[in-house]
Amino acid sequence: MKNFVEELRWRGMIQDIMPGTEEKLMEGPTAAYVGIDPTADSLHIGHLVSVMILKHFQNCGHKPFALVGGATGMIGDPSMKSQERNLLDEETLAHNVSCIKAQLSRFLDFDSDAPNRAELVNNYDWMKGYSFLDFTRDIGKHITVNYMMAKDSVKKRLSSESREGMSFTEFTYQLLQAYDFLYLYEHKGCTLQMGGSDQWGNITTGTELIRRMLGKEAYALTCPLITKSDGGKFGKTEKGNIWLDPERTSPYQFYQFWLNVSDEDAARYIRIFTMLTKEEIEAAIEEHAAAPHLRTLQKLLAKEITVMVHGQEEYDRAVEASEVLFGNATSETLKHLDEKTFLQVFDGVATFEVDKDKLPAGIIDLLAVETQVFPSKGECRKMIQAGGVSINKDKVTDINAMIGPEQIIGGKYILAQRGKKNYFIIRIR
């Protein structure tokens, strides 16, 4: 048995841990679970810490359970929230659950014959037939309102300036999550619940319910909420969450997110979001410190996590797309890009529209008359002669060069470059 707690500890992935947890895990293979609310049909990188904890748990010889909250997702967790969530219907939740399992399969072994293969469970399965009266009689009487009110997640909401306060529906979330732990303890042998540090109150309510109803010990472990060194919110960009679904966040954008983190964040994130060993990480940090401008650490982090989430092929494409802006890419590289990635690479670049019947056109007319890549023909001519103009990454040296339909990328675009860093898209109508 590998020491799971020690593995998390050196990676900086433990915030709170109940006494006796490490000793319990060292006794032999243990079952534990992490809960995920299926509020969308994709996980985002905010979920990844909990998913990586499950991955390490399985890697250390234990049995992980991923609980998707089909029932609790209909209510919404008040922890760290300033207002109540929208309630989702059953059909939407079922769709979200199936999508999330497919994503989890990239991290966890669900399909082998190993005794510690992962299992996906949905609390809707055991809650859908449980009547309100039965639940309040069986479960509600064991946890006092005083106990529930003392939890930080409840106190913060009640003391906040929000006029809405907290509905009874949301207040019950804590008890429902506690019952999940009880159910999995009795039916799946789960003695440990793990999650983000914002879940500590909910998780310990579960251990208390198990103690009061069964007279047994259960355990809890949480990881810190991930932050950025500059105080910004982790996993958010101007365009919103960084999702694992390639339709929501393309592999190129996903790769770029990790590539652009600060040196300080890269040194933390590489411990949390990769399976690299302590020795490999320390060597990478040392190599990066010797030449920070090469961004060795960010490149390694971006590679490891992009391959894990999207696979080697998509990682290779993301690197190739990045080379278009920052490397020695060729027109062949451009042709390999799909339209979505092409537009993402050149997001924000000035775009001009030209009718297809204007082609073929002389290079100077195209760049200085049909478009405003250059303000004048004379300036365009000088720049071509100085070797500062490229079409589709190919340098143009002839001031009389003709640009024709064969140079249109994907049937729609021509990429013009003025100097080293000024790009322009010419969209062919």
Side-chain angles (χ1 to χ4, degrees):
M1 293 289 298
K2 281 179 70 176
N3 188 326
F4 169 69
V5 173
E6 184 53 42
E7 181 73 17
L8 293 195
R9 195 175 278 130
W10 75 258
R11 290 181 182 273
M13 294 173 75
I14 294 182
Q15 176 81 24
D16 298 296
I17 183 168
M18 192 168 279
T21 302
E22 185 170 6
E23 293 77 6
K24 171 68 178 174
L25 290 169
M26 291 307 293
E27 289 174 6
T30 305
Y33 83 98
V34 165
I36 299 167
D37 267 350
T39 46
D41 61 2
S42 173
L43 302 173
H44 53 73
I45 60 174
H47 293 110
L48 270 187
V49 188
S50 294
V51 175
M52 291 302 295
I53 282 180
L54 285 179
K55 186 172 178 64
H56 284 297
F57 193 70
Q58 188 171 44
N59 203 44
C60 289
H62 302 291
K63 185 175 177 69
F65 285 81
L67 180 147
V68 287
T72 41
M74 290 180 167
I75 291 172
D77 181 6
S79 303
M80 307 294 285
K81 305 292 187 300
S82 59
Q83 59 187 22
E84 193 157 344
R85 288 181 185 174
N86 291 328
L87 307 187
L88 300 178
D89 60 66
E90 197 174 328
E91 188 180 342
T92 303
L93 283 162
H95 166 74
N96 292 355
V97 167
S98 66
C99 293
I100 287 169
K101 182 177 183 183
Q103 290 180 341
L104 288 173
S105 296
R106 297 200 72 98
F107 297 86
L108 303 171
D109 167 22
F110 285 97
D111 301 318
S112 78
D113 295 329
N116 70 326
R117 68 180 177 276
E119 286 187 38
L120 187 85
V121 290
N122 183 347
N123 60 15
Y124 185 69
D125 292 337
W126 56 82
M127 289 305 303
K128 63 186 175 186
Y130 209 160
S131 78
F132 176 73
L133 287 176
D134 287 340
F135 184 80
T136 51
R137 280 171 58 90
D138 298 345
I139 309 300
K141 65 182 180 183
H142 292 283
I143 301 292
T144 66
V145 170
N146 307 52
Y147 180 88
M148 294 172 73
M149 294 278 282
K151 298 294 183 179
D152 284 343
S153 58
V154 176
K155 284 198 291 189
K156 282 178 183 174
R157 275 294 295 278
L158 292 178
S159 63
S160 73
E161 296 175 5
S162 169
R163 291 180 183 176
E164 290 82 10
M166 179 188 288
S167 70
F168 175 75
T169 302
E170 245 186 335
F171 185 61
T172 62
Y173 187 95
Q174 186 183 146
L175 204 53
L176 289 169
Q177 185 170 329
Y179 178 66
D180 287 342
F181 199 174
L182 175 71
Y183 183 91
L184 291 175
Y185 188 102
E186 290 189 290
H187 295 85
K188 297 289 185 179
C190 281
T191 54
L192 169 65
Q193 185 183 168
M194 305 180 289
S197 59
D198 60 321
Q199 292 296 307
W200 182 252
N202 292 336
I203 294 172
T204 52
T205 300
T207 62
E208 184 65 12
L209 183 64
I210 290 165
R211 188 185 68 78
R212 292 184 185 187
M213 289 189 67
L214 305 178
K216 302 281 183 65
E217 283 296 317
Y219 301 90
L221 181 154
T222 64
C223 56
L225 294 180
I226 305 303
T227 56
K228 286 166 64 177
S229 55
D230 64 5
K233 189 165 184 180
F234 169 74
K236 289 272 190 182
T237 67
E238 290 176 8
K239 294 182 179 177
N241 284 321
I242 302 296
W243 299 91
L244 273 55
D245 181 350
E247 294 302 313
R248 287 171 174 255
T249 299
S250 72
Y252 168 75
Q253 290 171 315
F254 186 86
Y255 172 76
Q256 285 292 320
F257 172 83
W258 300 102
L259 199 62
N260 289 311
V261 301
S262 69
D263 288 356
E264 189 180 336
D265 286 337
R268 277 193 309 135
Y269 295 168
I270 201 162
R271 291 181 172 92
I272 295 167
F273 297 111
T274 77
M275 297 298 287
L276 295 171
T277 65
K278 191 174 186 179
E279 293 71 29
E280 288 169 328
I281 289 171
E282 286 172 351
I285 290 172
E286 196 175 318
E287 184 183 347
H288 180 88
H293 64 286
L294 297 178
R295 300 183 74 75
T296 309
L297 207 54
Q298 284 89 340
K299 287 176 182 174
L300 180 59
L301 169 67
K303 177 183 179 179
E304 290 292 318
I305 197 160
T306 305
V307 170
M308 198 186 308
V309 173
H310 294 296
Q312 183 71 40
E313 192 175 327
E314 290 294 352
Y315 162 74
D316 292 338
R317 283 183 188 160
V319 172
E320 192 174 47
S322 300
E323 289 292 306
V324 172
L325 272 183
F326 310 110
N328 301 313
T330 65
S331 55
E332 284 306 307
T333 311
L334 275 183
K335 287 172 188 171
H336 288 155
L337 299 183
D338 59 90
E339 182 181 5
K340 186 177 179 182
T341 305
F342 176 84
L343 293 175
Q344 285 167 351
V345 170
F346 297 104
D347 184 32
V349 165
T351 302
F352 302 103
E353 295 203 342
V354 173
D355 290 331
K356 194 168 186 178
D357 59 16
K358 297 281 187 179
L359 301 180
I363 181 73
I364 293 176
D365 282 341
L366 181 65
L367 300 185
V369 178
E370 298 298 336
T371 67
Q372 285 74 56
V373 172
F374 287 93
S376 69
K377 288 185 174 184
E379 195 170 323
C380 183
R381 187 180 293 108
K382 280 183 191 174
M383 184 74 86
I384 291 171
Q385 289 169 334
V389 174
S390 295
I391 293 292
N392 297 339
K393 302 299 286 187
D394 292 334
K395 191 167 284 190
V396 179
T397 54
D398 180 4
I399 59 173
N400 297 310
M402 299 298 289
I403 306 301
E406 68 280 359
Q407 281 154 298
I408 300 173
I409 299 168
K412 281 188 185 177
Y413 306 103
I414 292 173
L415 181 71
Q417 191 175 350
R418 188 184 76 200
K420 282 188 176 180
K421 295 182 179 177
N422 297 308
Y423 289 95
F424 303 86
I425 292 174
I426 301 170
R427 190 173 187 279
I428 307 303
R429 292 184 292 216

